[in-house]
Amino acid sequence: MGVVLGCMSSQFFSCLASLGCSCCCAACRHIKVSGSIGTRISYAAMFLLNSSIAYAMTTSWGIDLVKRISWGFITLKCPEGVCYGTLAVHRMCFSLSLWHIILGVLTLGVDGSRHQRAVVQNGLWIFKFIGWIGLAVLAFVIPNGFFEFYSKYVAMGGAGVFLLVQLVLLVDFAYNLAEACIGRWEDTERPLWRNILVGGTCAMYAVFAIMTIADFVYFARDGCGRNQFFITANMLACILVSAIAVHPRVQEANLKSGLAQAGMVTAYATYLVTSALAGSPEESDTDGPECNPLARAASARATMAVVGAFFTIGAICYSTTNAAVKSNTLIMSSGNSAYEALATDDPNEMPLTNSQLRQSALREAVASGSLPESALTDYDSDSSSQDDEKHGVQYNYTFFHVIFSMASMYAAMLLTNWNSISSTDHIIIIGRSTTAVWVKVVTSWLCIALYMWTLVGPVVLPDREWA
């Protein structure tokens, strides 16, 4: 039986592989990807392709679609867990996760594009694509027992770590965006940036207020105690963290704190709660109160299925590629770069980038006579070329693949609604399960707690250096 299932799964993936390979090869002839940004976009595209195939395997509708497209010539008869269902999704995402782990090991210690193993990261796309297909086929011949353990422990643990990475990136993004607007306002003295900062903050709190009111109106009816608790707890926590952000002692210890960052965090936390309530499954007791009126609306279900899938996968792609660049924020190290940020007397002054540090060092060496003037010309020509990693990598390659590996686990948990999809459903709506509801709500609490720690941390531990 295992050999038969393996052959059927191999045939199924041969069709998908041929189609995907043809599309990718045709695109590669016309599009030349170069530079660190192009490399990250290519890996994000691979993640999007893998997640799309995994989403098609949530139920048997993907197999039915292949049959309709081929006018009945391709008929796949696979049981649940092999070609569709929870374990099938985990098989597909496991192949990509293992693929990134292998690439992370192969690129360990690479410090520039001139390194011999740098081509593993930035090139050899045909061989890497074939390797991914091979791992996908291999994953579908592994016994179900392995993936039952993998989905309950390994994938769930990796997804939890990636959730924390997303929250750190969110808080870091809130601070950076507010600082950028303030910096532009101070440099240019144009009221435009002040209006953007103030208007954006007001918009975030308006979103918070509108979503909170809508939650109370639609999801907090009499008898819906759990929903009332979620909405009230989130509202009080958002008000509390906003008050702490403008407290005099907090602003004295943390000059970057303010309502702009708090507004973004409260809006995101409220969105998570609203999304969780809107994705609550139907209550089995029909005599009880209707705590989620969207659960039985057919149009709402279809919209949530499409929008939820694209938004979720897109958000993961952004978070994953951004996490590689923000490795210093996440692991508190300088990565593989050979240059450190110079300390300045002004605490509000942004540290120089690696490119600026190199150019400054070259100018000082030329001025002192240690290097000829041609060194500056050579550096300028290198900087204008498409390769932006000749003098050092823009991000840690190994850390990049570790993040993508955990993102694949997180995608598998999302697509299976945290291992709770039903084979009787024709289309799976991401987030439509009790487990997914609790994951989103707890994530909103962790988001507020993490941001609150960035506010009270400098007050509680003033001797520690805070990034």
Side-chain angles (χ1 to χ4, degrees):
M1 178 63 69
V3 175
V4 175
L5 296 179
C7 294
M8 289 188 296
S9 61
S10 300
Q11 293 175 358
F12 177 65
F13 266 91
S14 297
C15 298
L16 293 177
S18 301
L19 178 61
C21 190
S22 300
C23 295
C24 291
C25 292
C28 291
R29 294 190 188 101
H30 301 282
I31 300 176
K32 184 178 180 181
V33 179
S34 61
S36 61
I37 297 178
T39 298
R40 295 197 296 269
I41 293 176
S42 301
Y43 282 111
M46 289 284 294
F47 181 86
L48 181 61
L49 175 61
N50 187 91
S51 301
S52 301
I53 297 175
Y55 182 68
M57 293 180 176
T58 52
T59 62
S60 61
W61 73 270
I63 299 177
D64 298 335
L65 180 63
V66 173
K67 181 178 180 180
R68 289 196 302 268
I69 293 176
S70 63
W71 290 287
F73 289 102
I74 301 178
T75 303
L76 302 173
K77 297 180 179 179
C78 290
E80 182 178 357
V82 178
C83 289
Y84 68 95
T86 300
L87 296 184
V89 174
H90 279 289
R91 291 174 189 272
M92 196 66 210
C93 293
F94 168 78
S95 64
L96 185 65
S97 181
L98 180 61
W99 185 71
H100 277 289
I101 291 176
I102 295 175
L103 291 179
V105 173
L106 294 177
T107 56
L108 184 65
V110 176
D111 55 1
S113 62
R114 297 179 180 177
H115 195 281
Q116 293 180 349
R117 286 183 284 114
V119 68
V120 176
Q121 174 73 9
N122 303 314
L124 303 178
W125 287 105
I126 298 297
F127 297 99
K128 288 189 290 188
F129 190 80
I130 295 175
W132 167 66
I133 295 176
L135 291 175
V137 174
L138 178 64
F140 276 78
V141 298
I142 298 177
N144 287 350
F146 171 81
F147 287 100
E148 290 176 356
F149 173 84
Y150 172 81
S151 62
K152 292 179 180 178
Y153 301 101
V154 180
M156 188 168 291
V161 175
F162 184 76
L163 267 177
L164 296 178
V165 171
Q166 279 191 313
L167 296 180
V168 173
L169 290 175
L170 171 70
V171 175
D172 181 69
F173 172 77
Y175 275 104
N176 290 339
L177 184 60
E179 291 173 21
C181 291
I182 294 175
R184 291 291 184 89
W185 180 23
E186 294 176 348
D187 294 340
T188 62
E189 296 183 354
R190 296 178 59 186
L192 172 64
W193 297 105
R194 179 195 60 192
N195 296 336
I196 291 177
L197 183 64
V198 176
T201 303
C202 294
M204 291 296 102
Y205 278 103
V207 170
F208 159 70
I210 293 173
M211 285 194 296
T212 301
I213 295 174
D215 291 344
F216 274 114
V217 172
Y218 291 101
F219 307 113
R221 300 176 182 179
D222 293 337
C224 304
R226 188 191 67 174
N227 292 359
Q228 293 173 357
F229 169 73
F230 288 161
I231 301 169
T232 304
N234 177 77
M235 180 184 64
L236 296 178
C238 291
I239 295 175
L240 176 62
V241 77
S242 299
I244 294 177
V246 294
H247 193 276
R249 289 195 59 186
V250 172
Q251 290 195 326
E252 181 181 356
N254 184 3
L255 300 177
K256 301 177 182 179
S257 65
L259 289 178
Q261 302 91 330
M264 282 183 273
V265 172
T266 55
Y268 179 72
T270 307
Y271 158 76
L272 287 177
V273 173
T274 304
S275 177
L277 299 178
S280 299
E282 297 183 44
E283 299 292 337
S284 58
D285 185 9
T286 56
D287 296 333
E290 189 178 16
C291 298
N292 182 13
L294 301 179
R296 299 180 181 179
S299 59
R301 289 172 61 88
T303 302
M304 291 175 63
V306 177
V307 176
F310 281 99
F311 178 79
T312 300
I313 301 303
I316 294 176
C317 289
Y318 170 79
S319 300
T320 307
T321 53
N322 197 36
V325 184
K326 293 289 184 179
S327 59
N328 296 354
T329 302
L330 297 172
I331 61 179
M332 299 301 294
S333 69
S334 58
N336 291 337
S337 176
Y339 295 87
E340 299 288 343
L342 297 179
T344 58
D345 296 332
D346 186 2
N348 295 324
E349 184 178 349
M350 296 295 294
L352 297 177
T353 63
N354 290 339
S355 178
Q356 292 172 334
L357 289 173
R358 297 187 193 100
Q359 190 173 16
S360 177
L362 283 175
R363 288 177 177 175
E364 292 179 358
V366 171
S368 62
S370 301
L371 291 176
E373 294 184 0
S374 59
L376 283 175
T377 305
D378 295 339
Y379 178 80
D380 292 337
S381 61
D382 288 342
S383 301
S384 60
S385 64
Q386 294 180 343
D387 187 0
D388 57 352
E389 294 185 319
K390 286 185 177 180
H391 304 283
V393 296
Q394 298 292 323
Y395 56 95
N396 188 307
Y397 289 169
T398 300
F399 184 75
F400 172 84
H401 290 292
V402 170
I403 292 295
F404 254 112
S405 178
M406 293 188 296
S408 300
M409 302 178 189
Y410 179 62
M413 300 307 295
L414 284 180
L415 293 176
T416 59
N417 282 333
W418 297 85
N419 295 330
S420 61
I421 63 175
S422 175
S423 58
T424 60
D425 294 333
H426 183 65
I427 296 179
I428 296 300
I429 300 178
I430 297 178
R432 179 62 61 83
S433 71
T434 303
T435 305
V437 169
W438 278 101
V439 168
K440 290 182 179 180
V441 172
V442 172
T443 301
S444 70
W445 294 345
L446 290 176
C447 179
I448 295 176
L450 178 63
Y451 175 66
M452 186 178 296
W453 173 244
T454 65
L455 298 176
V456 301
V459 178
V460 178
L461 303 174
D463 297 333
R464 179 181 175 182
E465 181 180 355
W466 294 85

